[in-house]
Amino acid sequence: MSILFFDLRAQYQSIKNEIDEAIARVLEKGCFILGEEVEAFEEEFARYCGCSYGVGVGSGTKALHLALLACGIEPGDEVITVPYTATATVAAIYLAGATPAFVDIDPTSYTIDPSQIETAITPRTKAILPVHLYGQAADMESILAIARRYNLKVIEDAAQAHGAKYKGRPVGSLGDIACFSFYPTKNLGAYGDGGMAVTNDRALAEKIALLRQYGWKERYVSSIQGLNSRLDELQAAILRVKLRKLESWNEARRARARLYNELLADTAVTTPLEMNYGRHVYHLYVIRCKRRDELRSFLASRGIGTAVHYPVPIHLQPAYQSLGLRKGSFPMAERCAGEVLSLPLYPELEESKIRHAAELIKDFYESAAG
């Protein structure tokens, strides 16, 4: 029995008629950039996140970049974040001309460890950028308390956390501004790139809306220096259809994660733990395990797709050696990078396939022990 790591075709088949109708609607209107579909989706997604404003942009990376600029981040500033994240988080900080200041992760949530944040604050620190990794919220109450004490902006990287909650509140509504990605494999994914910044601060929303299109308040007249990063009408129409399904899809992910947890409870792997403060939406189902690469090869040989998110912490990647950080700088991030393995998980994944994958994992460790 082969198991795809992710199956976008299965999702499309389940909503084919609605998606096809949405695409046809856009084609018939003949408006493809910043039209009615984008405006409607901005309102709908912002409301879903418990926010007053949403601004659609070209990708999650650009959402972070423009959010940093809107918050006044400038060259020479420092932004506190984690070294264990997708490269986009740190790339956006550099795009804004700032420098990342890393803090290690919590060993249970895999998100930023609030107890280490204050030691990273310097006179140049202007913001904290927590990452809601794998679909789990960071400990925002602790982060926000520190930010208030030091007068820092909080920009949530919620690219993997559509629908996650912290103490009953949706992620995205907690900091000054939050950024989402609609990359196709996300819990809410487009059929191409896309992103959005959401906020309850009208001034921040207006600033990002200017920045995403050349700084135009009126066409061809730039009131500030901006760039081109716009969510298009086709993607917005597609995402409007999918947003209506998101809660049921997230519950399907959570049910499949519970089954994995149950089946792998007495094995040599460490299963993900939902923190008692939040609702995990399992963008990825990530275990930690010894002999990770051997296990991955074993599963691949039996037709089971897996992935590693993320094999090299940012501070050890060649592009970021100028930071002067070395192995051992962030032990928890480095340990996770060597042990994590993402197993197949998506709303359409059959229970029988989860049971099969779990049985193979048991077989691998039992053979190793023998």
Side-chain angles (χ1 to χ4, degrees):
M1 180 189 295
S2 64
I3 307 175
L4 295 173
F5 177 68
F6 200 86
D7 189 354
L8 288 171
R9 291 171 299 179
Q11 185 190 78
Y12 170 62
Q13 289 302 322
S14 73
I15 54 174
K16 183 179 186 303
N17 290 341
E18 292 169 88
I19 291 292
D20 291 352
E21 288 172 8
I23 291 172
R25 183 172 70 242
V26 174
L27 296 178
E28 287 167 4
K29 286 180 181 177
C31 173
F32 301 104
I33 300 293
L34 296 185
E36 293 176 359
E37 298 290 343
V38 170
E39 184 176 337
F41 179 59
E42 288 173 335
E43 293 176 1
E44 291 161 6
F45 188 69
R47 184 165 58 247
Y48 176 80
C49 295
C51 291
S52 301
Y53 308 101
V55 185
V57 296
S59 69
T61 307
K62 295 309 293 184
L64 286 168
H65 176 203
L66 298 184
L68 287 159
L69 294 178
C71 286
I73 305 304
E74 299 176 341
D77 291 342
E78 292 178 350
V79 177
I80 292 174
T81 192
V82 289
Y84 187 65
T85 179
T87 306
T89 307
V90 176
I93 294 171
Y94 275 102
L95 284 169
T99 302
F102 291 127
V103 168
D104 212 348
I105 58 172
D106 175 84
T108 305
S109 68
Y110 308 143
T111 62
I112 194 167
D113 183 348
S115 70
Q116 300 187 45
I117 290 176
E118 287 191 83
T119 60
I121 294 174
T122 75
R124 294 196 297 163
T125 305
K126 294 298 190 297
I128 305 173
L129 205 169
V131 181
H132 303 309
L133 196 69
Y134 300 150
Q136 174 127 266
D139 184 0
M140 292 299 295
E141 191 173 274
S142 300
I143 294 164
L144 290 167
I146 295 168
R148 284 192 293 269
R149 218 160 30 242
Y150 291 90
N151 194 29
L152 304 175
K153 294 290 188 182
V154 175
I155 301 165
E156 300 174 65
D157 183 341
Q160 300 182 2
H162 314 68
K165 291 185 178 179
Y166 177 83
K167 296 190 174 181
R169 293 180 60 189
V171 301
S173 65
L174 302 159
D176 293 283
I177 195 164
C179 301
F180 290 85
S181 166
F182 302 124
Y183 186 78
T185 58
K186 296 295 194 288
N187 291 34
L188 180 63
Y191 292 152
D193 272 320
M196 188 176 293
V198 298
T199 182
N200 284 309
D201 186 320
R202 181 175 180 176
L204 285 178
E206 290 176 348
K207 184 73 175 288
I208 292 179
L210 284 174
L211 288 167
R212 74 173 172 185
Q213 187 169 233
Y214 313 121
W216 289 352
K217 280 187 177 178
E218 58 180 288
R219 194 169 180 83
Y220 303 129
V221 180
S222 298
S223 59
I224 63 172
Q225 292 181 13
L227 45 82
N228 178 358
S229 183
R230 303 170 295 205
L231 181 65
D232 68 68
E233 286 284 284
L234 279 170
Q235 300 305 338
I238 290 163
L239 288 163
R240 292 183 70 197
V241 171
K242 289 190 171 190
L243 181 58
R244 298 194 292 268
K245 317 291 183 182
L246 181 56
E247 279 302 296
S248 63
W249 286 344
N250 280 343
E251 285 305 316
R253 287 175 179 274
R254 287 170 55 78
R256 283 151 181 77
R258 286 194 295 270
L259 179 58
Y260 266 129
N261 286 349
E262 176 188 323
L263 297 171
L264 297 173
D266 297 321
T267 67
V269 308
T270 300
T271 55
L273 179 67
E274 181 176 64
M275 303 302 286
N276 60 14
Y277 57 61
R279 178 204 192 208
H280 201 317
V281 292
Y282 296 96
H283 167 58
L284 296 166
Y285 183 87
V286 182
I287 60 172
R288 281 173 52 200
C289 51
K290 303 297 182 184
R291 302 175 62 184
R292 188 267 312 280
D293 295 338
E294 292 175 61
L295 173 60
R296 190 179 187 203
S297 295
F298 173 81
L299 293 173
S301 71
R302 285 150 180 81
I304 312 300
T306 61
V308 176
H309 300 86
Y310 298 94
V312 183
I314 305 297
H315 68 288
L316 298 181
Q317 296 196 16
Y320 301 104
Q321 291 306 293
S322 61
L323 292 169
L325 299 166
R326 299 290 180 265
K327 190 171 184 180
S329 298
F330 304 100
M332 199 63 236
E334 293 167 26
R335 181 178 175 186
C336 285
E339 295 180 350
V340 295
L341 184 66
S342 301
L343 302 181
L345 181 70
Y346 40 94
E348 301 79 19
L349 181 62
E350 298 97 323
E351 179 180 313
S352 60
K353 292 187 175 181
I354 293 173
R355 293 185 180 278
H356 180 59
E359 197 60 40
L360 287 174
I361 291 170
K362 290 179 186 177
D363 291 346
F364 173 81
Y365 284 107
E366 286 172 1
S367 298

